[in-house]
């Protein structure tokens, strides 16, 4: 028995076995297991719960935050200032390091939280049959072979092979993406049947929406479908973002350049000029301090944080800071269909009668919209037929549509809710009709019958039988049809053709017919509805696309972003929805079964060419995301179900739905949409591109500052002169520009046409050749002006302290004017918008002027930094020198624009 039971935990072919064979396979019966069997199997397989995740200790996760080249550079800067005994500056640098580490530490641990969220989705209790007795037991005590009883409202406690069903429907959207509850049966199915089509299996964590059933446990804990997803989440490797990769590369290059530059300077002074080693060592340290952009990590964090705040105002909550930048680099958005691109609210869009076709406007369960007669018919000619059809849809119906907190919802089967909404759109009140036509009896829907029938009686003496079901089944049961001139002979070919036409548009088709009943009749006999019915019409029902999603897909395409639909729904429906959304060509879709047959190279080709994938499993979604990434794309994955969690985690940016999304999907994602609106993704991409632009502007601003300082010190050492800037003065400049001037760039608004350009190449370096040219040019300008002012004042007999004070203020004023240049990388700023269009920039310049006045004239600052008061002529002279950078850089931009480089 142990070997048979062992098979249950890893066998994916239970749907191929008949119920009797399944019971025999696990050596059990409808009477259930004995207490001894349960105890033995519980010892073999353990409790029915997911294996807890392995956690990284908190102290280890905290220390990992320091494993970054830029952090190493900051620590070197801190060590240098400590060697110089400038303890305040050391404290500031170390504080920046710790703050950055704390931010990363807080953002860690998503995988563990996602696994905990999956565990919380499992059922707490289960009703089982053991030893012939029905009893309630904790769900974690279930073992393979247990017989579980299911009722409406139950959460399925383990994977079950269904043995008995009566009208059993289960909401499996969290696993399959299906917008309609799955109808369950007991018959065996082919081996290659996908998870979404395994009607004989109930999966752990799904919800019973209607009916009853009885099933045998075939898998528990980690062996269930939801357990396999949990394993995928824990095994899926999170990838680094383009920004992290680029900053890492930049940090390594910068570190190497600084070390080599400082070493060459030391060698030049010590070996070529004979300067004492200690003096040259301190000079090399000063040079390294000047070259290190201490504020860059903090600025990067602040720019990202401001992007997070902006996105939050546009309904996108960022759970991980670097994801803000990654959004700006997206080249592909992989979207789940149900609830993401569509409303997850079934809607009747077409009605076909023998008197003509009707178009229905409005979406969702809200009774807002119109019922419009089709082309070539008048409302009068078919109004009576339509009225009877709508009444029938409202009466042969177990659902209710109610308004709660301003939103309309369906209680019961979603497709039946859609019929009630349709009736209300046409002016019928379902509640009134139900009072007028009392329901006396019903034959509930069963998958083997494929129809539902109801018996109604009118107090005035009339009686009515209504039958609703699949069109192919009702065509077999009908002998007459209703036309514009009353009843007529049944045209089976017409109805079958119309049903096929509606299905080809991706709609689910329901047919409805009436039968004859006697006023005194109180019960409905199955044989009474088998033959001789009169066909009333067909309903075409669809889960409609969000109107805003259609516009968002169009905007993504304009921004050079490919949108791919990956859904668990049927291929026909996926193609139809894709056609309406503008995703794919509306003709082609690959299914999960077809994906299984593709070799890795063919899968990558399909991932690059096909835009609609249907009937896919969680493993397929994960493989598709990986295949698209293998093509060099930056991928976002959207979703709201448990089945989306592994792909959400693997994608460059996982995007979960905040309203209808499961906790599992939210914890696995980097971004959560608070309005479940695909359009918010386009807004987030715009903000992400703006963040990246602002980060590059910050780099373009900060690096010439450090370059100018380093060159100034280097030339002083080369010429054997006193240092124009002391290490502590260099730290002041870097600190004051980081917290004022560079910070202002974080608030820059999006540049024009930001969503009409193609995504940036994620493989491109953070600094382009043009950026290196601009950094070099501005560094030379700042060095020339600062060093020139220092040397000229010393030649005029000024004290070293006065000359350094002028040098520091010259460098800072250079940066203030250069900040204006940096607002637009290529566009001109010598206009009102460029010079005065940013309040943060003007405020930052004002603050830096106040800081420099304090630096120059405050006695405690003079003592701390070795400064002297300046006369008015000194200020006028250094401002005249510093403003040259504004005009030179604008001239350089103009030349670049004329050459077509910009």
């Amino acid at each position: 028995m142990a070997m048979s039971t062992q098979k249950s935990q890893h066998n994916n072919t239970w749907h191929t076995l008949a119920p009797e064979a399944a019971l025999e396979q696990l050596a059990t019966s409808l009477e259930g297991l004995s207490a001894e069997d349960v105890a033995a199997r519980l010892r073999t397989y353990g409790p029915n719960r997911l294996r807890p995740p392995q956690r990284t200790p908190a102290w280890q996760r905290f220390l990992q935050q320091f494993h970054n080249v830029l952090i190493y550079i900051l620590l070197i800067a801190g060590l240098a200032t400590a060697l110089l005994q400038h303890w305040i500056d050391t404290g500031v640098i170390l504080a920046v390091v710790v703050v950055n580490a704390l931010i990363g530490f807080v953002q860690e641990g998503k995988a563990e939280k996602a696994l905990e969220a999956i565990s919380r989705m499992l059922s707490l209790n289960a009703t089982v049959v053991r030893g012939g007795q029905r009893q309630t037991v904790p769900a974690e005590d279930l073992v393979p072979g247990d017989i579980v009883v299911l009722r409406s409202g139950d959460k399925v406690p383990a994977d079950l092979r269904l043995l008995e069903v009566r009208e059993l429907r289960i909401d499996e959207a969290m696993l399959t993406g299906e917008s309609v509850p799955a109808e369950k049966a007991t018959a065996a199915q082919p081996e290659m049947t996908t998870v979404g089509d395994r009607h004989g299996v109930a999966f752990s964590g799904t919800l019973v929406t209607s009916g009853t059933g009885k099933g045998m446990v075939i898998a528990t804990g980690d062996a269930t479908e939801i357990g396999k997803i949990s394993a995928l989440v824990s095994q899926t490797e999170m990838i680094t973002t383009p920004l992290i990769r680029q900053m890492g590369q930049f940090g390594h290059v910068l570190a190497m350049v600084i070390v080599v530059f400082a070493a060459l300077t030391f060698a030049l002074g010590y070996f070529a000029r004979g300067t004492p080693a200690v003096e040259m060592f301190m000079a090399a340290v000063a040079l390294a301090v000047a070259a290190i952009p201490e504020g860059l990590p903090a600025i990067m964090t602040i720019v990202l944080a401001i992007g997070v705040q902006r996105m939050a105002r546009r309904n996108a909550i960022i759970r991980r800071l670097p994801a803000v930048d990654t959004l700006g680099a997206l080249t592909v958005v992989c979207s789940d269909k149900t609830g993401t691109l569509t409303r997850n609210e079934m809607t009747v869009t077409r009605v076909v009668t023998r008197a003509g076709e009707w178009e229905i406007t409005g979406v969702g369960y809200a009774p807002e919209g119109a019922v419009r007669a089709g082309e070539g018919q008048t409302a009068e000619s078919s109004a009576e037929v339509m009225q009877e059809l709508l009444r029938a849809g409202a009466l042969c119906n177990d659902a209710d549509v109610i308004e709660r907190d301003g939103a309309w919802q369906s209680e019961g089967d979603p497709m039946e809710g859609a019929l009630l909404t349709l009736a209300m759109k046409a002016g019928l009140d379902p509640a009134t009709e139900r009072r007028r036509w009392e329901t006396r009896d019903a034959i509930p829907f069963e998958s083997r019958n494929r129809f539902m029938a109801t018996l109604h009686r009118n107090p005035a003496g009339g009686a009515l039988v209504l039958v609703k079901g699949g069109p192919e089944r009702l065509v077999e049961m009908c002998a007459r049809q209703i036309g514009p001139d009353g009843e007529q002979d049944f045209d089976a070919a017409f109805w079958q053709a119309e049903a096929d036409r509606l299905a080809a548009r991706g709609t689910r088709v329901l047919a409805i017919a009436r039968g004859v009943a006697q006023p005194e009749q109180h019960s409905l006999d199955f044989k009474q509805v088998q033959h001789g019915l009169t066909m009333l019409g067909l309903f075409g029902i669809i889960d409609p696309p969000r109107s805003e999603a259609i516009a968002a897909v169009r905007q993504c395409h304009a921004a050079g972003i490919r949108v791919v639909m990956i859904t668990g729904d049927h291929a026909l429906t996926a193609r139809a929805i894709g056609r309406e959304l503008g995703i794919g060509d509306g003709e082609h879709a690959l299914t999960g079964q077809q994906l299984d047959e593709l070799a890795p190279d063919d899968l990558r080709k399909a991932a690059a060419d096909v835009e609609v994938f249907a009937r896919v499993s969680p493993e397929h979604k994960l493989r598709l995301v990986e295949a698209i990434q293998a093509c060099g794309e930056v991928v976002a994955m959207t979703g709201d179900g448990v089945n989306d969690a592994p792909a959400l985690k693997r994608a460059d940016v996982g995007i979960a739905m905040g309203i209808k999304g499961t906790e599992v999907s939210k914890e696995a994602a980097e971004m959560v949409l608070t309005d479940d609106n695909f359009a918010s993704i386009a807004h987030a991409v715009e903000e992400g591109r703006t963040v990246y632009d602002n980060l590059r502007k910050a780099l373009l601003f900060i690096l010439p500052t450090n370059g100018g300082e380093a060159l100034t010190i280097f030339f002083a050492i080369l010429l054997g002169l006193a240092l124009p800037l002391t290490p502590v003065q260099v730290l002041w400049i870097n600190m004051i520009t980081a917290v004022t001037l560079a910070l202002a760039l974080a608030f820059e608004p999006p540049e024009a046409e930001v969503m009409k350009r193609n995504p940036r190449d994620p493989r491109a370096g953070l600094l382009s050749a043009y950026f290196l040219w601009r950094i070099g040019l501005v560094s030379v300008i700042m060095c020339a002006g600062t060093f020139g002012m220092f040397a000229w004042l010393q030649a005029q007999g000024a004290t070293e302290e006065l000359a350094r004070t002028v040098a520091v203020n010259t460098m800072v004023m250079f940066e203030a004017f250069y900040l204006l240049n940096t607002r637009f990388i290529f566009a001109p700023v010598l206009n009102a918008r460029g010079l005065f269009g940013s309040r943060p920039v003007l405020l930052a310049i004002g603050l830096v002027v106040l800081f420099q006045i304090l630096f120059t004239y405050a006695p405690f600052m003079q003592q701390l930094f070795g400064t002297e008061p300046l006369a008015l002529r000194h200020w006028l002279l250094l401002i005249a020198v510093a403003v040259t950078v504004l005009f030179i850089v604008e001239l350089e931009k103009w030349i670049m624009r004329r050459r077509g480089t910009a």
Side-chain angles (χ1 to χ4, degrees), residues 201-219:
V201 180
F203 299 103
S204 179
T206 58
L207 183 67
V208 178
T209 59
S210 63
T212 60
K214 189 178 287 186
M216 177 186 67
V217 175
I218 56 175

Side-chain angles (χ1 to χ4, degrees), residues 156-486:
V156 180
D159 283 3
L160 311 175
R161 176 60 174 94
L162 294 172
L163 308 173
E164 299 175 2
V165 297
R166 183 170 175 79
E167 311 167 49
L168 183 63
R169 298 184 184 185
I170 299 180
D171 182 356
E172 296 179 343
M174 54 174 274
L175 284 175
T176 66
E178 279 274 17
S179 52
V180 176
E183 299 169 3
K184 292 300 180 178
T186 59
Q189 293 176 280
E191 183 173 350
M192 296 305 292
T193 306
T194 61
V195 169
D197 290 324
R198 292 178 188 171
H199 303 308
V201 180
F203 299 103
S204 179
T206 58
L207 183 67
V208 178
T209 59
S210 63
T212 60
K214 189 178 287 186
M216 177 186 67
V217 175
I218 56 175
T220 59
D222 291 332
T224 61
E225 285 298 320
I226 197 172
K228 294 173 186 176
I229 294 174
S230 172
L232 280 176
V233 173
S234 63
Q235 295 166 8
T236 301
E237 179 186 358
M238 289 179 61
I239 63 172
T240 59
T241 69
L243 178 64
I244 291 176
R245 292 195 295 269
Q246 291 173 339
M247 290 303 291
Q249 295 167 359
F250 171 73
H252 282 91
V253 172
L254 183 61
M256 183 175 65
V257 169
I258 290 173
V259 169
V260 170
F261 197 34
L264 287 176
T265 302
F266 177 86
L268 177 66
Y270 180 70
F271 294 107
R273 302 187 61 86
T275 307
V278 173
E279 184 178 336
M280 278 312 306
F281 173 75
M282 296 308 296
V285 167
L287 183 64
V289 169
I292 294 169
E294 293 94 341
L296 185 57
I299 288 297
M300 183 178 75
T301 300
I302 291 169
V303 171
L304 292 173
I306 290 172
V308 167
Q309 293 173 356
R310 285 177 171 173
M311 289 183 186
R313 289 195 291 268
R314 304 183 80 171
N315 303 309
I317 305 299
I318 299 297
R319 301 184 63 251
R320 206 165 155 258
L321 282 181
V324 179
D325 158 72
T326 312
L327 282 163
L330 286 183
T331 59
V332 178
V333 175
C334 295
S335 178
D336 187 39
K337 178 183 72 67
T338 305
T340 307
L341 292 167
T342 63
R343 299 174 61 90
N344 201 16
E345 296 177 350
M346 302 305 290
T347 303
V348 178
T349 58
R350 295 277 171 177
V351 174
V352 175
T353 70
R354 200 62 184 92
E357 184 172 349
W358 299 70
E359 178 185 357
I360 318 300
T361 63
V363 294
Y365 299 122
E368 299 167 355
V371 180
R372 298 173 179 166
E375 188 175 341
Q377 65 167 319
T378 63
E380 292 77 11
S381 68
S382 53
E384 188 174 340
V385 178
M386 187 65 172
Q387 193 80 354
E388 184 174 2
L389 177 65
L390 298 181
R391 181 184 297 111
L395 292 175
C396 190
N397 198 310
D398 288 329
D400 283 301
V401 173
I402 61 173
E403 185 179 14
R404 182 181 292 129
D405 298 328
W408 288 84
Q409 301 172 357
S410 172
E411 293 189 347
D413 185 279
M415 289 201 290
E416 291 188 339
L419 298 183
L420 294 177
T421 299
L422 171 61
M424 289 189 284
K425 288 179 181 178
L428 285 179
D429 181 6
T432 301
E433 296 300 323
R434 287 171 174 178
R435 285 193 297 269
R436 286 181 56 207
W437 292 90
E438 173 193 358
T439 302
R440 290 220 165 170
D441 195 16
I443 298 176
F445 180 91
E446 290 191 19
S447 46
R448 68 172 177 267
N449 299 329
R450 291 178 294 165
F451 68 82
M452 169 188 182
T454 53
L455 171 64
H456 304 273
R457 182 180 183 277
N458 189 309
L464 184 65
V465 171
L466 297 173
V467 182
K468 178 180 88 242
E472 66 284 347
R473 182 71 175 98
L474 262 66
V475 164
E476 299 171 359
M477 301 161 66
C478 287
R480 303 281 288 170
Q481 64 190 26
I482 293 291
D485 300 320

Side-chain angles (χ1 to χ4, degrees), residues 261 286-287 290 704-726 730 733 778-791 804 807-808 810-811 814:
F261 197 34
L287 183 64
T705 299
N706 295 101
E709 294 166 0
L711 285 177
T712 300
I713 293 172
F714 175 76
F715 279 112
I717 295 171
L718 184 64
L719 297 175
L721 301 176
L723 296 181
L725 306 170
T726 65
V730 167
I733 296 172
V778 176
S779 296
V780 169
I781 294 171
M782 291 184 175
C783 169
T786 302
F787 187 81
M789 287 290 290
F790 177 80
R804 282 176 174 162
V808 170
T810 302
M811 181 65 71
F814 264 129

Side-chain angles (χ1 to χ4, degrees), residues 85-206:
Q85 298 185 356
H86 296 295
W87 306 116
I88 294 177
D89 305 301
T90 303
V92 170
I93 294 172
L94 292 179
V96 170
V97 172
V98 172
V99 167
N100 276 278
L102 285 172
I103 290 173
F105 176 74
V106 170
Q107 297 295 333
E108 288 289 336
K110 287 193 307 168
E112 291 86 348
K113 292 181 181 178
L115 293 175
E116 289 174 1
I118 290 179
S119 299
R120 290 195 296 270
M121 297 190 67
L122 298 182
S123 177
L124 299 178
N125 294 298
T127 301
V128 299
V129 178
R130 287 179 176 173
Q133 299 294 318
R134 185 176 293 198
Q135 53 187 286
T136 300
V137 300
E140 67 176 29
D141 290 345
L142 291 178
V143 296
D146 258 327
I147 304 300
V148 176
V149 178
L150 297 176
R151 293 167 297 185
S152 179
D154 285 350
K155 188 175 283 186
V156 180
D159 283 3
L160 311 175
R161 176 60 174 94
L162 294 172
L163 308 173
E164 299 175 2
V165 297
R166 183 170 175 79
E167 311 167 49
L168 183 63
R169 298 184 184 185
I170 299 180
D171 182 356
E172 296 179 343
M174 54 174 274
L175 284 175
T176 66
E178 279 274 17
S179 52
V180 176
E183 299 169 3
K184 292 300 180 178
T186 59
Q189 293 176 280
E191 183 173 350
M192 296 305 292
T193 306
T194 61
V195 169
D197 290 324
R198 292 178 188 171
H199 303 308
V201 180
F203 299 103
S204 179
T206 58

Side-chain angles (χ1 to χ4, degrees), residues 3 47 65 67 93 179 195 262 295 373 510 561 571 624 786 789 820 834 882:
M3 289 185 64
Q65 308 307 314
H67 184 55
I93 294 172
S179 52
V195 169
L510 273 181
I561 300 171
L624 282 170
T786 302
M789 287 290 290
L820 297 172

